[in-house]
Amino acid sequence: MEDRLRILFVEQEISYEPQGIMSMSAVLKQAGHDVALTVSSMEDPVAFAADYQPDVAAYSVMTGSQRAYFDLNLRIRDAVTPLRERAGRKPVVSVFGGPHPTFFPEMISEPGVDGLCIGEGEGAMLDLANALAARNGTYRTDIPNWWFNVDGEVIKNLPRPLIHELSALPHPDRALIYDKIPHLGQSKIKHFISSRGCPYACTYCFNHAYYQLYKREKRGQQRSVDDVIAEIKAVRSRWPLEQAIFIDDLFVIYNDWLEEFAEKWPKEVGLPFFANVRANLIVKDPYKVELLKRAGCGTVSMGIEAANDRVRVELLKRRMTREEII
């Protein structure tokens, strides 16, 4: 096997930019690996995989879609493995990441699942790819974030620390998505993320369970304003862009960040944008609203979840009053 590994991300459908896959692809490509994408709502992923001949088939899975992905993976393995064997190569390695494997890692025992990634994937995928490339298609089983199934034996590794310097990551690989799905590339509205995590512990949200894995971690990592603006400029130089959608769990946590953003965004970008906020935060600190307005924010969204006080506060742990919401 050459140092340049072939990784195929397999998705059922894509309606807007998948930030995790784009970020992992950028990291893998930066390290010299080859990355491709197939989307089963657009083409036959089994035929694509047979033609591409991946070393790794990677699936990002949300709960509810896992059974379809398990079945699709088995079909891809059945198609690709004989071709690789005839070429004297090791079988394709099938790995799963995303919310479902992170919170239900017992799926490692499903047929055809070689490994699953718990938590953040950039470093984990890169370590796996580098190990496969260096060891002629075999991998170390001690890579953090990974659970492996090796001949029926499940090997469980602890997660590595969260990525604190998000701005050290390469910008997400949007070409991977836009080349495959041109109408997303030509859309004047595109999705971005400037932070990861949330300081709150609403019981229904994935963050509530996520930080059980990362008990000692700061709840919220932020990219620098300059890095976010540099990404926006790079995207606008290649594709149409008239509005940015920030899909951060909570865009308005840090006032010092918002102050810098409100100063630089209008001068350097000047586009309207969408962001998620939280009712009690902006009621208790109206300065956040002033900063959003100064930056040119066009739309905000906030979760109410329930109008019933007991359900909202006691059950969902949304600790805010209905007066603050109104």
Side-chain angles (χ1 to χ4, degrees):
M1 180 174 295
E2 300 175 356
D3 290 342
R4 184 183 178 91
L5 213 70
R6 298 167 75 85
I7 298 105
L8 176 63
F9 285 102
V10 182
E11 286 291 297
Q12 289 181 308
E13 61 179 344
I14 292 177
S15 54
Y16 65 91
E17 299 89 341
Q19 302 291 326
I21 289 175
M22 294 193 304
S23 185
M24 287 185 288
S25 178
V27 168
L28 290 163
K29 286 183 176 180
Q30 186 181 65
H33 299 296
D34 190 83
V35 181
L37 170 70
T38 184
V39 184
S40 61
S41 63
M42 301 177 58
E43 62 192 357
D44 181 352
V46 179
F48 186 97
D51 181 63
Y52 180 65
Q53 287 291 296
D55 301 298
V56 176
Y59 307 85
S60 180
V61 182
M62 295 182 69
T63 301
S65 65
Q66 71 271 19
R67 293 249 65 93
Y69 276 111
F70 295 154
D71 294 342
L72 178 55
N73 174 54
L74 291 175
R75 289 166 50 212
I76 286 176
R77 288 166 72 93
D78 287 344
V80 172
T81 297
L83 299 173
R84 291 179 61 85
E85 287 176 347
R86 283 201 291 272
R89 309 178 79 182
K90 295 287 179 67
V92 61
V93 177
S94 299
V95 297
F96 292 72
H100 188 74
T102 293
F103 300 122
F104 300 97
E106 60 271 14
M107 61 155 276
I108 189 66
S109 299
E110 288 286 336
V113 178
D114 296 314
L116 62 83
C117 176
I118 292 176
E120 286 181 327
E122 288 92 350
M125 277 296 288
L126 181 60
D127 285 353
L128 178 66
N130 288 344
L132 284 165
R135 295 159 64 96
N136 195 33
T138 61
Y139 49 85
R140 303 191 335 265
T141 57
D142 61 346
I143 304 174
N145 290 59
W146 285 106
W147 284 24
F148 294 111
N149 189 333
V150 182
D151 298 325
E153 179 188 359
V154 175
I155 299 166
K156 305 176 183 180
N157 296 294
L158 295 173
R160 67 193 71 204
L162 289 172
I163 299 169
H164 297 160
E165 296 296 330
L166 294 178
S167 295
L169 292 170
H171 291 159
D173 178 16
R174 291 174 180 268
L176 181 78
I177 306 302
Y178 297 159
D179 289 351
K180 174 68 70 171
I181 313 172
H183 76 266
L184 287 183
Q186 292 306 306
S187 172
K188 297 175 183 178
I189 302 172
K190 292 181 168 63
H191 296 75
F192 301 85
I193 191 164
S194 71
S195 64
R196 294 181 184 179
C198 177
Y200 294 96
C202 306
T203 53
Y204 59 89
C205 177
F206 85 95
N207 278 301
H208 174 69
Y210 198 63
Y211 287 106
Q212 297 301 309
L213 300 173
Y214 298 103
K215 291 182 185 296
R216 295 175 178 83
E217 289 279 5
K218 174 185 174 184
R219 293 191 173 205
Q221 313 294 337
Q222 188 85 48
R223 293 170 62 189
S224 72
V225 171
D226 288 340
D227 186 47
V228 173
I229 288 176
E231 182 192 359
I232 298 282
K233 287 181 172 179
V235 170
R236 188 163 59 175
S237 71
R238 286 189 65 180
W239 298 283
L241 182 62
E242 293 183 5
Q243 183 182 13
I245 307 293
F246 285 106
I247 60 171
D248 305 43
D249 293 325
L250 189 55
F251 190 77
V252 294
I253 300 177
Y254 305 114
N255 278 9
D256 55 349
W257 190 91
L258 283 173
E259 285 173 344
E260 183 182 354
F261 186 83
E263 177 191 349
K264 293 180 177 178
W265 179 272
K267 297 175 186 175
E268 300 187 42
V269 179
L271 292 177
F273 63 92
F274 163 97
N276 289 309
V277 301
R278 186 176 157 106
N280 60 324
L281 276 185
I282 58 176
V283 168
K284 291 173 180 175
D285 186 6
Y287 182 49
K288 294 181 185 293
V289 182
E290 180 186 329
L291 291 172
L292 288 171
K293 180 179 175 66
R294 193 187 307 168
C297 180
T299 315
V300 297
S301 174
M302 62 182 182
I304 294 172
E305 313 309 341
N308 180 282
D309 292 344
R310 186 189 66 81
V311 171
R312 186 180 64 258
V313 176
E314 296 178 22
L315 183 65
L316 302 181
K317 306 302 181 189
R318 297 280 290 180
R319 302 188 188 282
M320 60 184 77
T321 67
R322 66 173 68 187
E323 288 76 21
E324 286 173 326
I325 293 170
I326 292 168

